Amino acid sequence: MSTILPSSAAMTVKAEQTDREKLHTVAKQFEAVFLREMLGAARKTSFGEEGGAGDISGGQAMDTFRQLQDEHFTDATAETGTIGLAKMLEAQMARFVSDGSTAPQETTEPKADK
């Protein structure tokens, strides 16, 4: 399998970023890795062909090409937000991270009137 490092410079976490910016970047990275794993699993499936899906146009060069193609596709998909998984993750995790200008806000339940 491939390395998990993003190939896109826009998806690299930098030390000078705020926690919120890092969360945004890491959520996109997670989406790309998740999609990569899904595509990898889909490529391994056999739909009854003799020898499996790898024998259709086989060879290590074709496997490497498909891996690079999948990495590019998943990075671009995550970067554009087409699937929306990164956006959902970021929204869920944002309550635990400050935006850089204020302290993290605690979520409290409204108190019921007595």
Side-chain angles (χ1 to χ4, degrees), residues 3-12 32 36 68 71-76:
T3 58
I4 298 179
L5 299 174
S7 60
S8 172
M11 289 184 15
T12 303
R36 229 175 263 151
L68 292 171
E71 287 177 12
H72 178 73
F73 171 76
T74 56
D75 287 346

Side-chain angles (χ1 to χ4, degrees), residues 19-20 22-24 26-28 30 85-99 104-105 107:
D19 286 344
R20 188 63 189 258
K22 288 177 186 177
L23 173 63
H24 180 76
V26 170
K28 285 183 177 182
F30 179 83
L85 180 61
K87 186 177 180 179
M88 288 187 285
L89 284 169
E90 185 178 356
Q92 289 294 315
M93 301 303 291
R95 61 185 164 170
F96 301 110
V97 179
S98 68
D99 63 0
Q105 297 180 0
T107 56

Side-chain angles (χ1 to χ4, degrees), residues 21-61:
E21 292 169 332
K22 288 177 186 177
L23 173 63
H24 180 76
T25 302
V26 170
K28 285 183 177 182
Q29 289 174 346
F30 179 83
E31 182 174 348
V33 170
F34 183 77
L35 292 172
R36 229 175 263 151
E37 289 298 314
M38 285 180 49
L39 279 173
R43 292 224 187 262
K44 289 179 185 175
T45 53
S46 172
F47 295 106
E49 300 98 8
E50 190 172 318
D55 288 343
I56 293 173
S57 57
Q60 186 176 3

